Amino acid sequence: MKMKHFCKRAVCAAPVCVLSLLLLVSCSGGVSREEATQTTEDFLRALGTQDFAAAEALLHPECPLDPEKRFGVLQSESGLDFSEGIRIQKYTGFSSSYYDSSVGGSRYELTVVTTVGDRAVTFVIETVRNDAGYGIYNVDIKT
């Protein structure tokens, strides 16, 4: 009698264990805070040294952003000079999701307050991981 009771529990517990493992595996593809922060810091460092090739290498394959054109125009329109360096002051916000249908994968967005020269500049940088790859998907700048 005890063996039948044990088998019934094992049969009921097996699907729960399998489902739990599947959920853990599916979450492993997300973008972590550490990964997004490192990518953001590397990107801002590349912009600050005018290394547009390094900045472009950090972009997501589906990102339409051309760092040299976009940031060159921004510098001339705003009077910012990224060659003075971009210094991170603090991170003021984030949002993330393991799956976002608008990007077809996981995303992590950081809001970063920086200084460029003597001006405060806020960057909102979104990193994405989907079937096409990983990288910076969007950058918004508020001066």
Side-chain angles (χ1 to χ4, degrees):
M1 188 75 157
K2 287 184 180 182
M3 188 59 126
K4 281 186 179 181
H5 189 63
F6 174 78
C7 289
K8 284 183 183 179
R9 284 189 179 179
V11 169
C12 290
V16 172
C17 290
V18 170
L19 182 59
S20 297
L21 286 173
L22 288 174
L23 288 173
L24 288 173
V25 169
S26 68
C27 291
S28 67
V31 179
S32 71
R33 180 177 179 89
E34 295 78 21
E35 186 177 32
T37 301
Q38 187 63 55
T39 302
T40 295
E41 290 173 0
D42 292 346
F43 184 73
L44 293 176
R45 186 178 310 106
L47 289 180
T49 59
Q50 304 284 296
D51 187 351
F52 296 114
E56 190 165 0
L58 295 166
L59 297 179
H60 189 277
E62 296 174 336
C63 177
L65 179 68
D66 177 346
E68 190 165 9
K69 288 180 183 173
R70 176 163 179 167
F71 295 107
V73 168
L74 178 67
Q75 286 183 101
S76 64
E77 288 178 353
S78 67
L80 292 172
D81 183 2
F82 290 149
S83 68
E84 294 179 10
I86 300 172
R87 290 172 303 288
I88 295 173
Q89 300 301 312
K90 61 184 172 179
Y91 292 90
T92 59
F94 76 95
S95 69
S96 67
S97 63
Y98 281 113
Y99 185 80
D100 185 317
S101 61
S102 68
V103 296
S106 61
R107 57 174 287 287
Y108 203 105
E109 182 181 274
L110 289 169
T111 302
V112 186
V113 176
T114 69
T115 54
V116 178
D118 61 354
R119 294 180 60 186
V121 179
T122 300
F123 288 86
V124 179
I125 299 177
E126 178 184 32
T127 55
V128 167
R129 174 173 283 118
N130 61 18
D131 289 342
Y134 170 79
I136 293 175
Y137 195 81
N138 192 33
V139 178
D140 286 325
I141 302 171
K142 301 170 185 163
T143 58

